Amino acid sequence: MTLQMPDINFTAMLPITIILITAVLATILGFFTTRRNIAMLGITGQVLTLGSLFFLWDQNLTSFAGALQLSNVSLVFAGIILIGSILSQLTSLDHASRSNLNFPEFDIILLYGISGTLLIAFSGDLIVMLIGLEVMSLSTYVLATLQESKRSEEAGMKYFLLGSVASAILIYGIALIFGATGSFGYDSIRQAIASNTFQNEILLLTGSFLLLAGFSFKVAMAPFHQWTPDVYAGSPTIVTQFMSIVVKTAAFAGLISVFLKALPGADWILPAQVILALTMIGGNMAALRQAEIKRALAYSAIAHSGYLGLALLANPELGIPALLYHLLGYTFANAGAFAVVAMLQQDDRGILIPKMRGLYYRKPLHAISLAIFLLSLAGIPPFAGFVAKLVLFGAAFQSGYIAMTVIAIVTSMIAFVYYLRPAVLMFMPAEEAQTLEDRPFPNSTLTVLASVAATVVLGVLPNWVLSLFDNPIVQQAMK
């Protein structure tokens, strides 16, 4: 009997290896040094991982017989994930102590969670994707409850229980897909569907629907979105910031990989359209009634999941660049918005929107920055959100989904109300003086300034990013 060595390409494992080594080092050093040093180690590891992505550009490497795939598209997903995680950890340097999270375990769990998000981005089969999804989810459940307050424990418990149900649905879906096609690999599943050599169509369809339902929970799409407002509002703000940008990007990386790489020929388009329409309408309508900024941003996240999901329907050559551009702009706008909220709030309950009246006269830079982020999320020029919605809606329209494009445009116009309300209130004279903590938050300020600069530059010079996708290798990877 011949011993067959596994197909291991260590170069392809470089980003995951760097972040895992950083997490293990942080685990060991956490016994001997302060939380701040562990956080700085984590940021250094993430920057090195981000640098490794440039080295791997255009190489299109695989490992473990295709179970790990590093295409340029997956590298861009990983890059957006790492930008979001660096901004989140930078913000946490100022606020972990105020949120009762000033211990190394917070940063260590964060690093393990990031390793899971990278596994999702680089996954080439359903098993690797599931492992990454579970590592990310378990880390996020713990982060949500780590504060040991009743409010965060309730949020974390709700997230854990509903997330466990979603994971079970995903696993059932994976099992049925394997039963129908005999493979976990994205490429093999796609070939089985294209050549009509799968075993059972009912198994394939049921598996596809279960995967769609499971991912709909992970990316907060209706009607599986109910956890989002309570978990966003109940979790510490720095954890909510991480969930809203890093977890969302990773979950969309998994969703796109599974449905466009593995199941492009399965009949999931109609249920996907129903889910996306419900998400855009439900998320925006519910956001209109919110009085607290964190809950409003939670419903905003649901609505944006609906917009981002249009990339699933569109032609991949148009939809995936639009999705990545939207995720990048959304990451900077949301990271900045939550950093401003963290600086302004008295505790992790957030801020009531009426209490933001007159903020410009007390904290002008905070007010201007938050207004820029809200206007970008609303899709108002000249900020990144305008270009992001333009290319995303344009991709759906050019691919023939006219009704979905109309729903997206109409709900975006409705969203102007809840984005503009706090933006306008901040510049109106205050009826009564509000007490605000007057202390410097240098790292959060850095996060906000970087996010403002990126939000404006991406809006004014969008071709800097969109031209990345003119590369023939990238175009090939998107097919």
Side-chain angles (χ1 to χ4, degrees):
M1 181 178 174
T2 307
L3 181 64
Q4 190 169 8
M5 293 298 291
D7 166 33
I8 301 176
N9 183 340
F10 290 102
T11 309
M13 297 168 61
L14 187 61
I16 294 172
T17 304
I18 294 173
I19 204 72
L20 270 179
I21 289 174
T22 307
V24 172
L25 268 178
T27 306
I28 297 169
L29 295 175
F31 291 102
F32 307 105
T33 188
T34 63
R35 182 254 155 187
R36 188 174 185 82
N37 290 337
I38 296 297
M40 294 306 297
L41 173 66
I43 291 172
T44 305
Q46 290 166 67
V47 171
L48 289 174
T49 310
L50 188 60
S52 73
L53 303 184
F54 292 97
F55 169 71
L56 294 165
W57 187 258
D58 272 356
Q59 296 198 35
N60 209 23
L61 302 175
T62 63
S63 189
F64 297 104
L68 277 184
Q69 297 181 356
L70 275 72
S71 67
N72 283 359
V73 172
S74 64
L75 291 174
V76 176
F77 268 119
I80 298 171
I81 287 169
L82 288 166
I83 288 170
S85 62
I86 291 168
L87 293 174
S88 294
Q89 199 154 25
L90 203 58
T91 307
S92 77
L93 284 171
D94 289 333
H95 303 287
S97 178
R98 300 168 82 216
S99 300
N100 297 323
L101 295 171
N102 196 25
F103 35 80
E105 288 83 351
F106 172 76
D107 303 276
I108 294 166
I109 294 169
L110 199 71
L111 288 169
Y112 284 114
I114 295 165
S115 69
T117 62
L118 294 183
L119 266 183
I120 298 170
F122 297 138
S123 65
D125 72 20
L126 293 169
I127 296 299
V128 173
M129 184 278 300
L130 182 66
I131 292 170
L133 206 60
E134 289 310 297
V135 170
M136 176 191 77
S137 299
L138 289 170
S139 302
T140 316
Y141 302 150
V142 176
L143 288 173
T145 58
L146 210 55
Q147 192 180 46
E148 292 188 357
S149 70
K150 186 178 178 183
R151 185 180 170 85
S152 76
E153 285 172 358
E154 285 178 358
M157 184 57 71
K158 178 176 284 189
Y159 195 20
F160 170 69
L161 291 174
L162 294 175
S164 300
V165 174
S167 295
I169 291 171
L170 268 172
I171 292 169
Y172 275 122
I174 290 171
L176 294 182
I177 295 288
F178 179 76
T181 63
S183 178
F184 292 115
Y186 295 158
D187 296 337
S188 302
I189 294 170
R190 184 179 65 247
Q191 288 166 10
I193 295 171
S195 59
N196 205 24
T197 55
F198 53 88
Q199 300 295 321
N200 188 310
E201 188 169 4
I202 295 175
L203 278 186
L204 181 67
L205 282 177
T206 310
S208 302
F209 294 154
L210 290 177
L211 283 176
L212 186 61
F215 272 111
S216 295
F217 173 89
K218 298 294 183 184
V219 300
M221 290 202 291
F224 310 99
H225 66 289
Q226 292 90 345
W227 60 275
T228 314
D230 291 341
V231 174
Y232 272 39
S235 301
T237 301
I238 49 178
V239 176
T240 309
Q241 183 191 39
F242 178 79
M243 285 192 291
S244 73
I245 50 180
V246 179
V247 173
K248 180 183 278 288
T249 302
F252 263 102
L255 179 74
I256 290 295
S257 295
V258 169
F259 284 93
L260 294 190
K261 286 184 183 175
L263 301 168
D267 192 11
W268 47 264
I269 294 292
L270 182 60
Q273 288 185 72
V274 174
I275 287 175
L276 293 177
L278 287 174
T279 304
M280 288 186 281
I281 295 169
N284 282 304
M285 296 304 290
L288 291 173
R289 296 182 284 119
Q290 303 307 312
E292 200 278 315
I293 190 72
K294 280 173 70 177
R295 287 188 75 86
L297 289 173
Y299 281 105
S300 157
I302 294 168
H304 276 270
S305 290
Y307 306 143
L308 290 161
L310 293 175
L312 263 183
L313 307 177
N315 184 328
E317 286 86 350
L318 297 172
I320 293 181
L323 170 76
L324 291 169
Y325 189 88
H326 194 120
L327 279 171
L328 186 61
Y330 180 81
T331 292
F332 281 114
N334 250 31
F338 277 107
V340 174
V341 171
M343 285 192 281
L344 294 175
Q345 66 185 6
Q346 299 296 321
D347 56 38
D348 275 317
R349 291 175 183 273
I351 312 166
L352 290 172
I353 292 172
K355 297 284 185 185
M356 298 170 72
R357 188 184 182 108
L359 180 65
Y360 172 74
Y361 301 97
R362 291 166 283 146
K363 298 275 187 182
L365 292 178
H366 294 68
I368 293 170
S369 302
L370 185 55
I372 288 173
F373 300 136
L374 292 173
L375 294 176
S376 181
L377 290 169
I380 293 176
F383 305 113
F386 169 72
V387 181
K389 286 186 178 178
L390 189 66
V391 294
L392 198 50
F393 298 172
F397 183 81
Q398 290 178 52
S399 303
Y401 295 96
I402 297 170
M404 296 300 296
T405 309
V406 171
I407 292 173
I409 293 170
V410 171
T411 52
S412 285
M413 294 173 71
I414 293 171
F416 286 169
V417 177
Y418 66 83
Y419 285 123
L420 291 180
R421 183 176 167 227
V424 171
L425 276 176
M426 287 188 292
F427 294 90
M428 295 176 69
E431 293 173 345
E432 57 184 61
Q434 301 292 328
T435 305
L436 290 174
E437 192 173 356
D438 192 17
R439 55 173 280 196
F441 295 108
N443 300 294
S444 302
T445 304
L446 185 58
T447 301
V448 170
L449 291 177
S451 299
V452 166
T455 302
V456 174
V457 170
L458 284 172
V460 177
L461 302 169
N463 285 334
W464 278 14
V465 174
L466 291 172
S467 62
L468 282 176
F469 302 102
D470 290 335
N471 185 314
I473 296 179
V474 182
Q475 289 291 331
Q476 182 62 33
M478 288 187 289
K479 291 181 180 175

